[in-house]
């Protein structure tokens, strides 16, 4: 018989909340219906703040997730949550898609694993080819390196850039330039190029840092521009050129998110900025590395986010494109580094071997999941579904619904594209003054949403790394207009409750 009490003191950071919940009745019945013999009843009812799992926080209890289907996740109490953030911009095809599990099981039955130093596999070769095609003509003749997630892929891309430069006779080039207020992952190399202050501050003594240039953020534009930030975009790009020149031919690559992900909350670059960046990199022999861990695989309404900014004749053609999250939609740990022909040729014709590897790169079961996910994305036309500029799509419904929040006093900005949006909160709409960071306004709204059965991604620090509150919204592309309207009304209520 399931029974238990949850009584938790959340820290000030999470608001002081004492929650009491009973597991008897409804919840118990719901839990039994998803019964998994591998998980004991005592495990699913554990709600202590300390458990054998080293969780992300000791300060809050975590609901126990037991099932997912479509845009919904259920916890062990039987409570249903609408996943309006795709977990953390991960799920794109919806939860619980049977054919993905089937593809993984079939691969595991056939061949669970081989090491990439000894074998390749049909599934890796086929999926790599499909992914190169999905990435477009710029990557024709290139190659894909599969990893187990975003951070591993970023590490791989940084090393690939360095080795390319060595292999083409540019041994002096080793620095990787990046941007402030960016996030590229949690491993030490990825943290070094990230700008997200909170996530990296205490680890800084462990990392080797290079220059972080400014990042355009039009809502809080530092220049008094009146041209939709075209001109200031050029000034930010010029900062890159100055940093490259200051580094005296030692720059191997420049890494950027086409659209800011978690750190700034779906900030889109001003017109002309990315083509200018690309042109500067090309002119100085610096590899352009697009981090599409969050924006890739259809999330923004294009196969990859950079496609929005490739207006001929000033296209932007990354030399290396990194993706993860939506690549497997969360069904398996998977990331990919897509390298252009130029980069692959450089290494193939240079040393002839990439000096890098993880035990689990190109894991057959993960790659099978990714392949089945891409098949699903194509079959269900989910990239088009995500396009917020096409009438009648979930993308356009999301844009319209979120824009309606602008009438609230504390909503300063609503921005984004496709199915990746940010809602920024302000204490004063006129001056754009943020809330005091200690208030954790975004966290309060996030918790109020959670109580209402809605998952969002609250973040702080968009103003200066500490102050500034926003929500990141990134639902699966199978969401309906009705579900979007319900979710946005719940966000409205959660904001009003927190203000
Ligand atoms: C743009 C970007 N790059 C890299 C990463 C790191 O990916 P992972 O958490 O899968 O290691 C993230 C994760 O949020 C991300 O948003």
């Amino acid at each position: 018989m399931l029974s238990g009490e949850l009584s938790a003191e959340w820290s000030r950071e999470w608001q002081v909340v004492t929650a009491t919940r009973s597991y008897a009745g409804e919840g118990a019945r719901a839990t039994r219906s998803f019964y998994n013999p591998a998980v004991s009843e005592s495990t699913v009812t554990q709600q202590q703040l300390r458990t054998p799992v080293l969780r992300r926080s000791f300060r809050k209890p975590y609901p126990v997730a037991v099932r997912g289907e479509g845009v919904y996740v259920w916890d062990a109490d039987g409570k249903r949550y609408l996943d309006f953030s795709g977990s953390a911009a991960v799920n794109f095809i919806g939860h619980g898609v049977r054919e993905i599990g089937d593809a993984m099981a079939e691969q595991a039955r056939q061949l669970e694993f081989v090491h990439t130093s000894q074998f390749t596999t049909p599934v890796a070769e086929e999926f790599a080819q499909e992914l190169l095609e999905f990435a477009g003509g710029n990557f024709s003749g290139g190659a894909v390196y599969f990893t187990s997630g975003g951070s591993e892929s970023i590490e791989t891309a940084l090393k690939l850039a360095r080795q390319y430069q060595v292999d083409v006779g540019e041994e002096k080039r080793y620095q990787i330039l990046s941007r402030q207020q960016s996030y590229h992952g949690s491993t030490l190399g990825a943290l070094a190029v990230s700008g997200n202050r909170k996530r990296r501050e205490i680890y800084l003594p462990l990392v080797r840092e290079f220059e972080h240039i400014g990042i355009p953020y039009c809502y809080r534009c530092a220049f008094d521009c009146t041209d939709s930030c075209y001109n200031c975009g050029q000034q930010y790009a010029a900062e890159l050129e100055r940093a490259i020149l200051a580094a005296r031919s030692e720059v191997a690559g420049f890494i950027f998110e086409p659209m800011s992900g978690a750190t700034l909350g779906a900030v889109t670059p001003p017109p002309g900025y990315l083509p200018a960046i690309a042109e500067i990199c090309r002119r100085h022999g610096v590899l352009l590395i697009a981090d599409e861990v969050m924006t890739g695989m259809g999330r923004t309404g294009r196969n990859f986010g950079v496609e929005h900014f490739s207006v001929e004749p000033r296209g932007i053609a990354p030399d290396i494109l990194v993706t993860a999250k939506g690549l497997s939609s969360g069904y398996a740990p998977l990331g990919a580094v897509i390298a252009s022909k130029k980069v692959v040729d450089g290494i193939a014709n240079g040393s002839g071997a990439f000096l890098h590897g993880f035990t689990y790169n190109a894991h057959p079961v993960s790659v099978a999941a990714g392949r089945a996910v891409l098949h699903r994305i194509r079959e269900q036309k989910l990239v088009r579904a995500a396009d917020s500029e096409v009438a009648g799509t979930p993308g356009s419904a999301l844009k319209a619904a979120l824009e309606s929040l602008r009438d609230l006093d504390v909503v300063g900005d609503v921005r984004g594209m496709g199915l990746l949006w940010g809602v920024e909160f302000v204490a004063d709409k006129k001056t754009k003054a943020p809330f005091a960071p200690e208030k954790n306004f975004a966290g309060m709204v996030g918790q109020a949403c959670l109580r209402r059965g809605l998952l969002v991604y609250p973040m702080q620090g968009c103003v200066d790394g500490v102050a500034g509150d926003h929500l990141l919204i990134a639902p699966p592309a199978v969401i309906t207009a009705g579900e979007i309207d319900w979710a946005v009304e719940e966000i409205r209520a959660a904001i009003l409750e927190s203000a």
Side-chain angles (χ1 to χ4, degrees):
M1 183 67 188
L2 290 175
S3 68
E5 288 271 301
L6 159 67
S7 183
E9 271 253 308
W10 298 2
S11 76
R12 277 191 71 75
E13 192 187 334
W14 288 90
Q15 292 181 275
V16 180
V17 172
T18 302
T20 304
R21 201 190 282 169
S22 165
Y23 287 94
E26 267 300 304
R29 278 197 298 279
T31 303
R32 267 200 300 273
S33 68
F34 324 131
Y35 182 67
N36 172 354
V39 178
S40 70
E41 289 190 348
S42 68
T43 301
V44 295
T45 59
Q46 270 178 19
Q47 281 291 339
Q48 300 93 335
L49 299 185
R50 290 194 65 157
T51 76
V53 173
L54 181 49
R55 299 175 180 180
R56 290 208 175 208
S57 172
F58 292 104
R59 294 168 170 169
K60 63 168 194 166
Y62 290 85
V64 181
V66 292
R67 189 168 80 90
E69 188 181 324
V71 295
Y72 295 106
V73 171
W74 282 263
D75 73 13
D77 285 346
K79 178 171 174 176
R80 190 178 78 163
Y81 303 82
L82 193 153
D83 186 0
F84 213 34
S85 53
S87 298
V90 175
N91 190 299
F92 188 61
I93 65 165
H95 295 275
V97 178
R98 209 182 168 83
E99 72 188 51
I100 314 298
D102 289 346
M104 293 169 70
E106 180 51 35
Q107 180 61 50
R109 266 193 296 271
Q110 182 80 23
L111 175 68
E112 82 298 340
F113 176 73
V114 283
H115 197 270
T116 46
S117 64
Q118 295 166 330
F119 289 102
T120 185
T121 58
V123 69
E125 296 295 333
E126 284 157 14
F127 187 37
Q129 184 55 40
E130 289 164 3
L131 210 47
L132 286 172
E133 286 159 15
F134 190 73
N138 179 40
F139 290 96
S140 150
V144 180
Y145 191 98
F146 291 110
T147 71
S148 301
S151 301
E152 275 191 8
S153 291
I154 296 293
E155 299 292 332
T156 302
L158 304 184
K159 290 171 75 175
L160 193 60
R162 164 65 180 158
Q163 189 172 338
Y164 165 81
Q165 299 289 9
V166 172
D167 280 2
V168 299
E170 295 276 340
E171 288 90 347
K172 262 183 78 185
R173 293 184 181 270
Y174 66 96
Q175 298 190 26
I176 306 286
L177 303 185
S178 60
R179 303 189 303 173
Q180 297 154 12
Q181 294 284 65
S182 58
Y183 183 62
H184 297 293
S186 60
T187 48
L188 294 181
L191 263 192
V193 293
S194 294
N196 187 308
R197 205 164 128 190
K198 266 196 181 165
R199 290 184 179 176
R200 60 192 222 117
E201 210 154 52
I202 66 162
Y203 300 110
L204 282 180
L206 301 180
V207 306
R208 174 112 194 242
E209 281 210 278
F210 307 114
E211 185 69 22
H212 290 70
I213 62 165
I215 183 168
Y217 177 11
C218 296
Y219 175 63
R220 296 184 180 276
C221 183
F223 302 90
D224 280 332
C225 54
T226 51
D227 59 356
S228 305
C229 286
Y230 178 84
N231 195 38
C232 71
Q234 298 304 302
Q235 298 196 45
Y236 279 109
E239 223 182 288
L240 173 63
E241 184 147 36
R242 285 198 296 277
I244 292 173
L245 292 172
R248 298 186 315 277
S249 307
E250 289 181 349
V251 181
F254 171 69
I255 186 165
F256 71 103
E257 295 163 90
M259 241 173 102
S260 167
T263 312
L264 287 184
V267 164
T268 53
Y273 167 73
L274 287 181
I277 286 280
E279 194 274 323
I280 290 166
C281 286
R282 228 176 357 248
R283 193 149 37 79
H284 290 281
V286 169
L287 293 185
L288 186 63
I289 307 170
D291 179 350
E292 299 241 18
V293 166
M294 196 176 268
T295 52
M297 304 308 296
R299 170 62 62 196
T300 70
R302 296 288 182 278
N303 291 4
F304 289 98
V306 286
E307 293 167 30
H308 287 285
F309 312 103
S310 294
V311 183
E312 294 300 341
R314 300 194 71 202
I316 108 149
D319 298 296
I320 299 174
L321 195 153
V322 179
T323 193
K325 294 191 185 264
L327 180 64
S328 67
S329 228
Y331 283 79
L334 184 65
V337 180
I338 307 176
S340 65
K341 183 173 185 311
K342 173 175 111 179
V343 173
V344 179
D345 284 354
I347 293 176
N349 301 331
S351 61
F354 184 27
L355 280 172
H356 176 67
F358 303 103
T359 296
Y360 287 139
N361 60 259
H363 191 286
V365 179
S366 293
V367 172
R371 190 165 185 233
V373 165
L374 181 56
H375 183 258
R376 182 88 175 178
I377 289 173
R378 287 204 151 117
E379 184 191 68
Q380 307 241 314
K381 300 187 171 37
L382 296 183
V383 180
R384 185 180 157 81
D387 193 338
S388 46
E389 299 309 308
V390 174
T393 60
S396 67
L398 181 64
K399 178 181 178 178
L402 289 173
E403 291 280 358
S404 75
L405 295 174
R406 283 185 187 274
D407 65 354
L408 294 175
D409 285 346
V410 298
V411 172
D413 194 26
V414 176
R415 61 210 175 211
M417 56 171 62
L419 287 171
L420 187 62
W421 289 80
V423 178
E424 182 169 338
F425 303 118
V426 284
D428 183 325
K429 211 163 182 162
K430 251 200 197 112
T431 62
K432 301 182 182 176
F435 285 103
E438 317 78 73
K439 189 173 167 81
N440 190 11
F441 188 76
M444 286 166 67
V445 175
Q447 288 301 321
C449 287
L450 189 70
R451 287 194 293 274
R452 291 165 175 277
L454 182 68
L455 303 175
V456 294
Y457 186 162
M459 276 291 288
Q460 284 197 285
C462 55
V463 175
D464 57 7
V466 177
D469 292 86
H470 67 265
L471 295 185
L472 194 70
I473 305 296
V478 293
I479 195 165
T480 64
E483 288 160 346
I484 289 170
D485 287 344
W486 177 83
V488 173
E489 279 317 300
E490 293 302 315
I491 291 179
R492 173 180 289 275
I495 293 171
L496 291 173
E497 194 180 310
S498 310

